Amino acid sequence: MDTKRKHLIRLGAGVAAGLGAVALVWAGTASAGAEENSTQSDFEAQVIGGQEAEEGQYPWLVGLGSAGSGTPWENQFCGGSVIAPTVVLTAAHCVESDAPEDLAVFSGSVDLEGPDIVTTGVADIHVAEDYESPTQFANDWALLLLAEPVDVEPIALNADLTEFDAFETAGWGLTEENEYPTLARWVEVPFVDDTQCAEAYPDEHDAASMVCAGDLASGGIDACSGDSGGPLMAGAEDGSQVLAGIVSWGYGCAEPGYPGVYSEVATFVPTIEEVVAGWGAEL
Ligand code: 4AZ
């Protein structure tokens, strides 16, 4: 599906080729050289290792898609989280080259082909000003102002840098069957600390803006292509879930030694609040 791949970013082409087993996740906009390294047959692991989400399990989870013809499932290329009735938080790399009118937000159901999906337009996009500084994918976050409010429960942002032991992530990204599911899937992923994550990704890990999660030793569980922009959630003390991260990047998916990398929401909270307030919205 070309549309499904439109915004997916090519990740670590050189390393992927060297490892021989992690070639995956190419952008339609990737360079020709990168394309040559894309060997689907080498694809080993592919939300990976998870299960179907129940209706209502993550009311704030939305799909991000291209506006135009086709079903939500055909158009969906990233995830996002509703943080206020008119505001969605997603990954910068999902929307950096889009105009608001190119985008559609699919909310209200885990089933992208179901009758309850609501499609909403986007009125404005704010890409983090320091996106890709100091490293590629650093500060990978963006906000969408919706054309109309959506009637779903927003998720609260995790405002302090508490270290959680484990998270959940969810989305309509590639499964271990190498398919894009119509029903959102979710998986629990253990926290991986900055030291270990920096060892996995020596020159690319930016501790200030990234948080990592996965099964470092065994792999098998991860976000994957198409999940980008979606939520990394942690349980708050009151039993609710808070948004701790945004699905961002990694070498391949669910590979041992290569945890998923997420944008660290707590770092961006003050700036997010400013942008949201500037739009006349409230968290
Ligand atoms: C993606 O391109 C993507 N395994 C998301 C997560 C990961 C890799 C790629 C991490 O949407």
Side-chain angles (χ1 to χ4, degrees):
M1 298 282 323
D2 276 340
T3 48
K4 301 289 277 184
R5 292 174 189 278
K6 180 171 157 230
H7 290 272
L8 304 177
I9 300 288
R10 174 183 60 81
L11 299 163
V15 174
L19 291 170
V22 229
L24 163 78
V25 194
W26 312 99
T29 51
S31 68
E35 205 67 41
E36 283 160 24
N37 290 332
S38 173
T39 41
Q40 285 291 328
S41 55
D42 280 342
F43 183 74
E44 277 186 344
Q46 297 98 3
V47 171
I48 310 269
Q51 52 191 296
E52 273 176 14
E54 306 276 338
E55 203 62 90
Q57 189 173 347
Y58 307 113
W60 46 81
L61 174 68
V62 297
L64 213 60
S66 326
S69 58
T71 68
W73 179 78
E74 286 165 345
N75 287 329
Q76 184 269 344
F77 59 80
C78 268
S81 302
V82 173
I83 60 167
T86 55
V87 183
V88 166
L89 180 59
T90 185
H93 83 256
C94 289
V95 297
E96 58 170 331
S97 53
D98 281 301
E101 58 270 23
D102 298 336
L103 294 174
V105 170
F106 309 120
S107 66
S109 178
V110 292
D111 183 358
L112 282 178
E113 295 284 13
D116 297 327
I117 284 283
V118 174
T119 300
T120 306
V122 172
D124 201 0
I125 303 174
H126 175 94
V127 174
E129 275 158 24
D130 49 2
Y131 171 51
E132 303 228 280
S133 170
T135 59
Q136 193 185 21
F137 295 119
N139 299 294
D140 187 9
W141 65 271
L143 291 166
L144 310 179
L145 176 65
L146 302 180
E148 291 133 41
V150 287
D151 187 18
V152 301
E153 182 192 336
I155 185 167
L157 304 180
N158 175 49
D160 55 42
L161 286 161
T162 325
E163 293 194 353
F164 297 97
D165 291 339
F167 305 97
E168 291 173 14
T169 188
W172 291 274
L174 273 184
T175 70
E176 59 275 25
E177 310 289 337
N178 204 11
E179 287 168 355
Y180 291 99
T182 57
L183 293 180
R185 300 180 71 81
W186 72 278
V187 67
E188 183 176 308
V189 278
F191 172 73
V192 172
D193 69 36
D194 281 342
T195 308
Q196 287 177 308
C197 200
E199 278 167 16
Y201 302 116
D203 299 319
E204 291 146 291
H205 179 255
D206 173 42
S209 73
M210 299 174 190
V211 58
C212 303
D215 186 329
L216 199 53
S218 313
I221 48 173
D222 202 358
C224 197
S225 172
D227 291 319
S228 269
L232 181 75
M233 299 160 284
E237 273 178 19
D238 66 1
S240 66
Q241 285 179 310
V242 291
L243 191 63
I246 303 167
V247 179
S248 181
W249 65 281
Y251 286 167
C253 303
E255 297 289 339
Y258 295 101
V261 188
Y262 301 77
S263 319
E264 188 161 336
V265 166
T267 305
F268 321 126
V269 168
T271 319
I272 290 173
E273 281 172 348
E274 273 173 37
V275 176
V276 170
W279 279 337
E282 233 176 283
L283 294 183

